[in-house]
Amino acid sequence: MWIYLNDRFVTEQDAVVSVFDHGFLYGDGVYETIRSYGSRIFMRDQHLARLRRSGEAIGLTIPIPERQWPALLHEAMTKNEVGQDHNDAYLRITISRGPGGIGLDPALCPTPTVVIMTKPLQPSPPEQYKTGVSLIVAKTRRNLPSALSPQIKATNFLNNILAKREAIAAGAFDSILLNWESQLTECTVSNIFFVRAGRLCTPALTCGLLDGITRDLLLGLARDAQIPVDEGHFGVESLRQADECFLTNTTMEVMPVTRVDGHPVGKGTPGPITRQLHGQFMANRARFLEP
Ligand code: PLP
């Protein structure tokens, strides 16, 4: 695998970062996970804009000008022979504060570290889309937004990792994190939706969750299909009363959820609105790809 590190492509063996990098010492950095369909990157400008916003939120200037990113991402895909016909690519951009003396002051790190990794995208198994996945409600709460904004896609991911550990221990696909007021927020790497009496519901951003790019796209598709949408504040009981539930993110698209804490959601099978929205997503996907 060729990795872009700072200013050049290096082999995996040579892709090493200093132990003084504040990304390593303090989780001080930001990242984005992106994908392509064939050679065309999905929602490219939205991901790059979010990367810039994450950087701005922590006072980290992304050292590569915005106009250079598309060519760089394509070079990364080409070098690794991914992102060609029928060969979708997974791309991860990581920008850390960079190496510097021990201490929290970002001024210790004059030069951020830039990493771009690409590999073939591993799609979720078709079986999961057919049967749906199971979730638990984690004991770990989502970070308080006033302590660490969920809009910052930070390389400090312990909040989500602790919740993921709970899911793994319970044999579940993933965990739902509640906020400080026991309201639903999101899962460890995805946003959550549910359907109740024909209405599509999803936690509002004010509950403290990442403004997912796929979430936003799905809300638009639902409105196009005239499905009533409620972005609101919901407790765990709303999931118990839901007819359907699903997750969204860039790599999974729309993943049905059929069990929560061991209880079936609705009939315990992927529901019709979940299927309809995933179908609409696939039918409209080309609109959201690079030219
Ligand atoms: N929520 C969290 C915590 C995430 O890490 C992600 C994606 O990585 C998402 C939601 C979904 O975001 P997107 O649709 O932009 O991939």
Side-chain angles (χ1 to χ4, degrees):
M1 191 197 283
W2 288 94
I3 315 277
Y4 184 82
L5 177 61
N6 294 327
D7 55 358
R8 71 196 65 168
F9 283 94
V10 295
T11 62
E12 222 168 299
Q13 291 81 350
D14 291 331
V16 281
V17 173
S18 165
V19 292
F20 289 98
D21 197 298
H22 282 209
F24 173 69
L25 288 174
Y26 305 114
D28 186 355
V30 295
Y31 79 100
E32 271 299 318
T33 300
I34 313 181
R35 71 167 292 167
S36 76
Y37 289 89
S39 62
R40 294 163 74 193
I41 298 174
F42 174 69
M43 300 296 267
R44 183 196 66 202
D45 294 346
Q46 289 77 357
H47 280 282
L48 292 172
R50 190 167 66 186
L51 181 70
R52 194 195 54 237
R53 288 198 303 274
S54 293
E56 279 167 4
I58 68 164
L60 174 64
T61 305
I62 306 298
I64 294 176
E66 215 136 297
R67 64 178 188 287
Q68 285 180 16
W69 276 107
L72 203 50
L73 294 176
H74 280 278
E75 197 180 346
M77 293 197 290
T78 307
K79 266 195 125 33
N80 287 297
E81 295 177 12
V82 295
Q84 299 146 332
D85 282 349
H86 310 297
N87 182 2
D88 301 343
Y90 166 99
L91 301 113
R92 171 165 165 140
I93 304 172
T94 310
I95 319 277
S96 78
R97 191 75 67 180
I102 291 178
L104 301 190
D105 184 355
L108 291 165
C109 312
T111 315
T113 302
V114 177
V115 176
I116 305 171
M117 295 161 160
T118 57
K119 59 173 188 171
L121 184 110
Q122 283 297 334
S124 303
E127 198 54 30
Q128 286 182 346
Y129 294 96
K130 267 195 222 128
T131 60
V133 296
S134 65
L135 302 179
I136 60 160
V137 177
K139 291 193 181 67
T140 305
R141 294 293 171 110
R142 191 74 176 100
N143 282 330
L144 195 62
S146 54
L148 179 59
S149 166
Q151 305 314 337
I152 306 172
K153 256 183 103 67
T155 53
N156 185 324
F157 219 52
L158 267 182
N159 184 208
N160 313 49
I161 290 167
L162 295 178
K164 182 71 183 180
R165 290 188 73 231
E166 289 188 50
I168 293 165
F173 176 78
D174 203 2
S175 281
I176 306 165
L177 291 103
L178 304 180
N179 69 8
W180 67 103
E181 284 179 328
S182 300
Q183 294 158 343
L184 306 175
T185 64
E186 59 186 333
C187 290
T188 64
V189 291
S190 58
N191 292 111
I192 189 161
F193 289 78
F194 61 94
V195 177
R196 171 112 172 104
R199 302 185 75 82
L200 181 68
C201 307
T202 194
L205 297 182
T206 48
C207 298
L209 50 119
L210 180 73
D211 187 0
I213 289 167
T214 324
R215 172 187 182 279
D216 196 46
L217 207 154
L218 248 279
L219 286 172
L221 291 176
R223 292 191 180 106
D224 291 348
Q226 304 194 328
I227 298 171
V229 170
D230 292 330
E231 283 185 80
H233 295 235
F234 306 104
V236 181
E237 71 290 347
S238 351
L239 284 182
R240 305 238 190 283
Q241 296 152 5
D243 305 314
E244 304 179 33
C245 179
F246 63 86
L247 309 177
T248 59
N249 77 13
T250 293
T251 52
M252 290 191 300
E253 303 178 345
V254 176
M255 176 60 75
V257 174
T258 45
R259 293 188 89 76
V260 175
D261 276 342
H263 302 286
V265 177
K267 295 194 175 89
T269 53
I273 292 185
T274 304
R275 287 192 193 285
Q276 179 192 337
L277 285 171
H278 196 182
Q280 260 178 266
F281 177 90
M282 289 190 282
N284 283 278
R285 207 160 56 194
R287 275 173 42 206
F288 309 113
L289 304 181
E290 297 171 304

